[in-house]
Every structure is written in C-alpha cells, then in structure tokens.
Amino acid sequence: NAGVTQTPKFQVLKTGQSMTLQCAQDMNHEYMSWYRQDPGMGLRLIHYSVGAGITDQGEVPNGYNVSRSTTEDFPLRLLSAAPSQTSVYFCASRRQGAQTQYFGPGTRLLVL
Amino acid sequence: GENVEQHPSTLSVQEGDSAVIKCTYSDSASNYFPWYKQELGKGPQLIIDIRSNVGEKKDQRIAVTLNKTAKHFSLHITETQPEDSAVYFCAASNVILTGGGNKLTFGTGTQLKVEL
C-alpha cells in the first residue's frame, strides 16, 4: 500500500490563481481530511469527508472547496489564491471506527 | 470549541535523558488524546494515544499520562536517542461527538532536539 499520497510536493502561485491539491489513499478509508500547518499554530482542519459524496467544513474553510466523488480521492481546490494561503497542506485518512489518522507527506504552497 | 495549549515550544535534552511535553485542553467533553511525531519534510505520524477512561499508557520508551480533573496530559520519552529529534504535537477530540468526523484540535507543537 502506498498509504496517503499528495501531489504536488511544492507549488508557487500568484495571487488570484486557482489550483487543486490532490490527495489519494489506497487503504479504503471512509474518512479523509485536509489540514493546513502554519508556524506556531499547529495543524488546523480545513474540510473533511466521512464518505463519498459527503463533505463538511472544519475550522478554517474559507477560500477552499472540496469534493469526494470516490472513496480514494479527496482534492482540495483554491479558487483564488491569496498570500494568506501560503502554508503546508496535509491530507489525512482513517478507517471508520478507528481513531488513528494517517497523514500524507504534505504539499508546500507559496502564494506570491 | 476546544482549545489545546502545548509547552514547551522547544526542548533540548542530552542523549539518554528524559523529555516531557505537556498539553492542556479546555473542553471537558474531550475523551481522546493522541500524540503525533513529525520528522522534517514528512507528515505527522501517530506515536501513542490515550482515552479518557485510562490514566496512563506506555509503549516501550514512550508514555502518556492524563489528568482529567486538571484537563492536562503529558508525553514522556525516556532514554532519548538522536532519532527522537522531531516536532511533537498533542491533540484532543470528543470521539462520541465527532463520530465520523476527524475534528482533532492540535497543540502548537514542540521541537525536540536530542543532543549527543
């Protein structure tokens, strides 16, 4: 199993550009989440999904959209990037009934 | 909502010494407390967790203690080794409330450095 994979590893955007951060897991986990990690602030939940077709907002959802059309994939979309979205983004997944979350390697995003 | 505070932000110890990282939480309904280790350039990895019905849990050199009355929990690493150097995060969650969700609230992290 590859576990949780994320692409790209690093991305530079200009303010106002859009992009999609990809996340995939091959563990057949029902639950998937997106976090952002900023210096001195730990990890903050952006959006999460409890299964295909079901998504909900986390702590910091503004400026981000998600969809979950399959169990495996959970892309995060930035519609109009802003410098405040410069961060490291982590995708995570876990099995229903379990609490252990498995994190991907992260995507480092720089918005100029 | 839940608020988790973590101290210290940086911790330097000599190889073989013990390291202790402390976290406090605000929501008395929280009942699940995991600890994650994040190595440079990688995603966080669960190293140990504890539920509110248990006061202490050990796994080899790592232990976690929980004081529900005071609403704080701690990570203890004994006989530290250079490979223990990493950022450690605590987190809290109400498993019953979130059910299918992943609403962990994380602390701000502790950079642990184990010096030779």
Side-chain angles (χ1 to χ4, degrees), chain A residues 6 13 19 22 28 32 37 43 46 56 67 86 111:
Chain A
Q6 293 183 238
L13 291 178
M19 80 159 295
Q22 301 292 342
N28 203 31
M32 298 184 74
Q37 183 177 38
L43 290 93
I46 304 171
D56 204 348
S67 61
T86 293
V111 182

Side-chain angles (χ1 to χ4, degrees), chain B:
Chain B
E2 174 67 277
N3 181 53
V4 177
E5 295 188 356
Q6 183 172 347
H7 299 281
S9 57
T10 60
L11 179 59
S12 184
V13 299
Q14 294 293 317
E15 183 180 9
D17 288 350
S18 296
V20 180
I21 303 171
K22 299 181 179 181
C23 289
T24 60
Y25 60 99
S26 61
D27 188 351
S28 57
S30 289
N31 54 20
Y32 174 67
F33 308 94
W35 285 89
Y36 285 84
K37 176 183 180 182
Q38 185 178 25
E39 297 177 341
L40 191 63
K42 296 184 178 180
Q45 183 176 14
L46 179 72
I47 55 172
I48 195 168
D49 57 11
I50 192 169
R51 295 182 183 271
S52 59
N53 59 347
V54 176
E56 183 177 7
K57 184 176 180 180
K58 291 183 178 180
D59 183 3
Q60 299 182 349
R61 296 186 297 109
I62 295 173
V64 56
T65 59
L66 172 65
N67 184 326
K68 288 190 295 182
T69 302
K71 289 190 284 188
H72 67 69
F73 55 112
S74 300
L75 177 70
H76 304 255
I77 305 174
T78 59
E79 301 174 14
T80 54
Q81 302 169 2
E83 51 264 39
D84 294 328
S85 295
V87 179
Y88 291 81
F89 291 96
C90 63
S93 174
N94 183 333
V95 173
I96 296 174
L97 178 64
T98 60
N102 296 279
K103 291 187 176 180
L104 283 173
T105 300
F106 284 84
T108 52
T110 296
Q111 175 73 62
L112 174 64
K113 183 177 181 181
V114 180
E115 299 178 334
L116 297 174

Side-chain angles (χ1 to χ4, degrees), chain A residues 87-106:
Chain A
S87 186
V88 181
Y89 292 84
F90 289 99
C91 180
S93 73
R94 72 173 174 89
R95 182 175 52 82
Q96 182 177 3
Q99 290 302 317
T100 302
Q101 289 200 70
Y102 296 87
F103 284 83

Side-chain angles (χ1 to χ4, degrees), chain A residues 63-82:
Chain A
Y64 308 95
N65 280 352
V66 292
S67 61
R68 185 94 180 272
S69 57
T70 67
T71 300
E72 294 78 20
D73 301 298
F74 190 43
L76 179 71
R77 298 183 184 85
L78 282 71
L79 301 179
S80 179

